[in-house]
Structure formats: C-alpha cells, structure tokens
Amino acid sequence: DTVLTQSPALAVSPGERVSISCRASEGVNSYMHWYQQKPGQQPKLLIYKASNLASGVPARFSGSGSGTDFTLTIDPVEADDTATYFCQQSWNENTFGAGTKLELK
Amino acid sequence: EVQLVESGGGLVQPGRSLKLSCAASGFTFSNYYMAWVRQAPKKGLEWVATISTSGSRTYYPDSVKGRFTISRDNAKSSLYLQMNSLKSEDTATYYCARRTGSYVMDAWGQGASVTVSS
C-alpha cells in the first residue's frame, strides 16, 4: 500500500499563509488530491491532481508537488478554514493520509 | 445540485450482515464510477470499494475483500454496499462518493453510521 504521511497539527493566525505537506511512500505521479473536513461534516474536495482547484473552492487554496512530495497552501488563512485536511492518492488504488488538523490562534 | 444520500446504517452484532444504500440525484448516475469510503470514530478516511459505470468491475482493499460487495442500479440511480461477517473494526461512518475521470472523489454524501457491537 502507498502510505501517505502528514503532520498531525498546525496552528496559524488569520491572515497568514500556511502550507500543509503530504509525503507518499512511493511515487503517485500527479494523482494526489486534497480534502477539507469540518467536525460532523463529510469531506469536501479542494484540490485534485496535485494543483487543480475544485469547483467553487476559493483561490486562497492552492496545491503543488509531484512524485512523492505534495503541498496544500492556504493564503491567506481565514477563521472558517479551521478543519482537518486530508490528502489522498489514487495512483495505486486509494489511500488517505491521517489528516492535518488546522487550528487558528 | 449533486446529492448523495446514504441510508441503512445502524447497530449490528458481530458476524451479522448489513446493507447500505445511496440515492443519487442531480447528475447522470450511469456516467460515473462510484465508491464507498469509511471513517472510524475520531480516525482518518479509508477507501472501501469502487464500482465501474456498468457495475461489471469492482475493486476492494484487502481489509474488506470477500466480506463486502458493492453494487449499483443505474435505473434507480442507486449505489449499494452489502457488508457480511461484520467485525467491531468495521464500526465507522460510511460515505458514498462520486468518482470522476481524474480518479478523484468530487462529491460525498453526509454518511451513514454503522456500529458493530454485541
């Protein structure tokens, strides 16, 4: 299985820029996607295939990377961005990262 | 508006079976692969199954292979997950999701809660 590793938590102030990383145990080409999940809600697609913004998602969100290292960037961070962010690869079946909990200071 | 609505969750004893349903609307269901993804309490997401547009091809991770069966009825715009020989570790919220041609799940239901306990 392709294991995806994310940092467990981050805390930033509103208006700052934050980068959330996801490292794959093997190359996943560009088939890395990012989701936002708020408590009690279903996941919401933010970025697909590494750098493509999903429909209706604010341009404050962006994605980059290829191969094994990927990054989700939020700039600037807003209070509503408090959530857990998951990466997912679909190059080798489907696996998800454990999630990065983003808290605002 | 794309809508996915799961149903059929509940409390079930270990070793028993349960069938989840997902009613789709707002898009041409038969044009999309569909998937199930689960999330154990306070845990991350785990892919459970994927089915092709016609239903002729299905895919599972080893954790559920042989116990779970994904199926669909395109005439009813419905997706199903038959879960047999349930274990306590199958306790989770089960999400129905639409899969695009980019191999990403771009729409999710609100989830159905399944608790496996005696």
Side-chain angles (χ1 to χ4, degrees), chain A residues 1 31 33 35 37 40-45 47-49 86 88 90 93-98, chain B residues 37 39 43-47 50 60-62 65 95 101-106 108-111:
Chain A
D1 289 3
Y31 286 86
H33 322 295
Y35 301 87
Q37 186 178 36
Q41 296 186 16
Q42 68 268 55
K44 173 188 174 183
L45 178 66
I47 300 289
Y48 66 96
K49 289 193 73 178
F86 294 95
Q88 179 230 341
S90 56
E93 293 196 330
N94 295 280
T95 52
F96 290 85
Chain B
V37 176
Q39 186 170 34
K43 298 292 186 182
L45 299 163
E46 180 187 18
W47 165 67
T50 299
Y60 307 92
D62 288 344
K65 195 175 295 183
Y95 295 102
S102 296
Y103 295 81
V104 64
M105 298 171 211
D106 72 334
W108 299 62
Q110 86 289 348

Side-chain angles (χ1 to χ4, degrees), chain A residues 41-63:
Chain A
Q41 296 186 16
Q42 68 268 55
K44 173 188 174 183
L45 178 66
L46 297 175
I47 300 289
Y48 66 96
K49 289 193 73 178
S51 60
N52 297 280
L53 195 66
S55 177
V57 175
R60 304 184 291 104
F61 294 87
S62 63

Side-chain angles (χ1 to χ4, degrees), chain B residues 19-23 29 36 49 51 60 69-74 76-83 96:
Chain B
K19 186 173 184 176
L20 302 180
S21 300
C22 172
F29 181 74
W36 289 97
I51 189 167
Y60 307 92
T69 302
I70 187 173
S71 62
R72 65 191 297 160
D73 184 336
N74 286 341
K76 295 183 177 179
S77 294
S78 292
L79 179 72
Y80 307 101
L81 184 67
Q82 176 68 45
M83 303 182 290
C96 162

Side-chain angles (χ1 to χ4, degrees), chain B:
Chain B
E1 179 193 4
V2 172
Q3 281 203 320
L4 298 168
V5 180
E6 300 93 338
S7 60
L11 174 63
V12 60
Q13 294 179 329
R16 303 297 292 265
S17 299
L18 196 66
K19 186 173 184 176
L20 302 180
S21 300
C22 172
S25 61
F27 66 102
T28 304
F29 181 74
S30 58
N31 287 352
Y32 288 85
Y33 277 52
M34 296 295 294
W36 289 97
V37 176
R38 68 184 179 185
Q39 186 170 34
K42 304 295 185 185
K43 298 292 186 182
L45 299 163
E46 180 187 18
W47 165 67
V48 170
T50 299
I51 189 167
S52 63
T53 52
S54 66
S56 61
R57 287 168 290 177
T58 56
Y59 310 87
Y60 307 92
D62 288 344
S63 58
V64 306
K65 195 175 295 183
R67 299 189 301 122
F68 288 12
T69 302
I70 187 173
S71 62
R72 65 191 297 160
D73 184 336
N74 286 341
K76 295 183 177 179
S77 294
S78 292
L79 179 72
Y80 307 101
L81 184 67
Q82 176 68 45
M83 303 182 290
N84 298 332
S85 304
L86 283 162
K87 308 174 182 180
S88 58
E89 52 262 43
D90 296 319
T91 293
T93 296
Y94 285 74
Y95 295 102
C96 162
R98 184 177 78 170
R99 202 205 78 172
T100 74
S102 296
Y103 295 81
V104 64
M105 298 171 211
D106 72 334
W108 299 62
Q110 86 289 348
S113 178
V114 173
T115 301
V116 183
S117 174
S118 55

